[in-house]
Amino acid sequence: GVDSYNFSSNISSTIIAGGGVGNDVFKFDSASITGDLTITAGLGDDTFKFNTVNDGSGLTINDFTTTDDTFSFNSAAFEGSNGHVLVFGSIQGTEFMPTSTGAIINAFDQNNSPIPDLLSISNDYWYYDVNQGNLYYDQDSDQQMEDSVLIAKVTNSSNNLTTTSLNASDIEYIS
């Protein structure tokens, strides 16, 4: 069946939520997640909907499937109406550093097209830390982690995602 969860308060305890088979929706609205919230959405086209910028330090999504599952962000809160870039890399000191395949950095626009030069892009940046499995949002695209927001730890069967298991098009903006 279709399950719908609405997380709209501070979560400081341990919660395990499961969706099962179906197109499940997990909504986050003013939810500061400092406890441990683990979501296994299950089979189907599942949506992780963020209406506000939340502290996701305790949120784990452990079965994300690209092209089936979607991150849906409110464009008023995340200011992504002009597009976005998904960058794969890791945190080094206080900065997010992209990884590369050969001479090409692992960065993609909302249509999954490679971005050869991040300095030429002024859209929102989404960072996926390939070492830790964390998804971050950086509104000002400066690669400094002090002002980036941790959305969630996102894996598939506890394995960190790669450039083939998370697409920039898996991230969408809604109004």
Side-chain angles (χ1 to χ4, degrees):
V2 175
D3 296 310
S4 182
Y5 291 85
N6 187 14
F7 302 100
S8 59
S9 62
N10 294 338
I11 298 170
S12 58
S13 58
T14 299
I15 298 174
I16 298 173
V21 177
N23 301 336
D24 306 312
V25 177
F26 300 87
K27 282 172 67 173
F28 302 90
D29 194 359
S30 299
S32 178
I33 304 166
T34 57
D36 291 313
L37 172 57
T38 301
I39 295 175
T40 302
L43 299 175
D45 297 339
D46 304 310
T47 302
F48 303 93
K49 186 175 183 179
F50 295 81
N51 291 322
T52 55
V53 178
N54 307 301
D55 172 9
S57 60
L59 176 58
T60 299
I61 298 167
N62 67 12
D63 70 336
F64 188 85
T65 304
T66 190
T67 70
D68 289 343
D69 299 336
T70 303
F71 287 103
S72 184
F73 295 95
N74 185 308
S75 60
F78 289 89
E79 300 185 21
S81 58
N82 294 325
H84 63 274
V85 175
L86 175 61
V87 183
F88 291 84
S90 62
I91 299 171
Q92 296 179 11
T94 61
E95 196 171 348
F96 191 86
M97 298 302 294
T99 57
S100 61
T101 304
I104 301 172
I105 60 172
N106 292 319
F108 305 90
D109 70 11
Q110 65 274 5
N111 300 312
N112 300 321
S113 298
I115 301 293
D117 180 13
L118 288 176
L119 298 177
S120 66
I121 303 295
S122 61
N123 295 342
D124 289 352
Y125 281 16
W126 295 89
Y127 304 133
Y128 186 78
D129 185 329
V130 297
N131 295 328
Q132 301 298 317
N134 293 328
L135 179 66
Y136 295 90
Y137 169 70
D138 185 12
Q139 178 182 338
D140 62 10
S141 310
D142 65 358
Q143 293 179 253
Q144 295 297 317
M145 296 310 293
E146 295 92 20
D147 61 353
S148 296
V149 176
L150 174 58
I151 300 299
K153 180 177 181 72
V154 184
T155 63
N156 187 311
S157 300
S158 299
N159 295 313
N160 291 348
L161 303 179
T162 66
T163 57
T164 59
S165 57
L166 178 62
N167 293 326
S169 61
D170 294 328
I171 297 170
E172 68 179 15
Y173 289 102
I174 57 169
S175 44

